[in-house]
Each structure stands twice: as C-alpha cells, then as structure tokens.
Amino acid sequence: SSIIFNIGGSQYETCDKTVSKYPDSLLNTSTSKSSLKTVFFDRSPQLFAYIIQWMRTDALVLYDNSILQVRI
C-alpha cells in the first residue's frame, strides 16, 4: 500500500515499505502513529524530493545528474 506526504503543499506518494526501511525516521514514526493516508509537514518540498529519492534508492541523486552513493 502507499502513503502520501503533503510537504509544504506538494504531494509525494511512496510505498509503505520505503519509509519502513528506516524505522526510527520521522517519516516512518509519523505514518505508523496515524490512520490517515496523507501526512502533512510544513517543510520545503524542493528539499524533500532529495530525501524521498534517497529513501527509495539508497543513493543521493542530485538534479544536475551527479550521483553520490550513500552507504547505510
């Protein structure tokens, strides 16, 4: 199933398993404590795009096509 994050008015949808890979993260704890399918954070949507992409791929992908590999 999926979860929708409303970040500063921009919507990001991802799989539950993406955020559950990081059990101590704010994203995981906020979704596990809520029965809502949409969770709002009053933060920068431009920066969140980097966070959610890193959670999906385990790599920090910059929009200038550079890739920095992040080991967990």
Side-chain angles (χ1 to χ4, degrees):
S1 107
S2 66
I3 185 86
I4 298 171
F5 293 103
N6 179 341
I7 310 297
S10 295
Q11 304 246 331
Y12 294 86
E13 186 170 0
T14 193
C15 299
D16 291 359
K17 67 180 182 175
T18 299
V19 294
S20 66
K21 290 190 320 185
Y22 304 94
D24 295 329
S25 70
L26 178 62
L27 297 180
N28 186 58
T29 57
S30 64
T31 58
S32 62
K33 292 179 182 177
S34 174
S35 61
L36 299 175
K37 280 297 187 183
T38 302
V39 178
F40 175 77
F41 290 100
D42 189 17
R43 295 290 184 257
S44 168
Q46 292 83 8
L47 296 177
F48 186 77
Y50 290 104
I51 295 167
I52 197 67
Q53 188 65 17
W54 173 71
M55 292 179 87
R56 290 173 176 152
T57 63
D58 294 327
L60 182 58
V61 179
L62 304 176
Y63 291 115
D64 66 356
N65 295 325
S66 300
I67 297 178
L68 301 174
Q69 188 68 37
V70 177
R71 297 282 180 221
I72 297 174

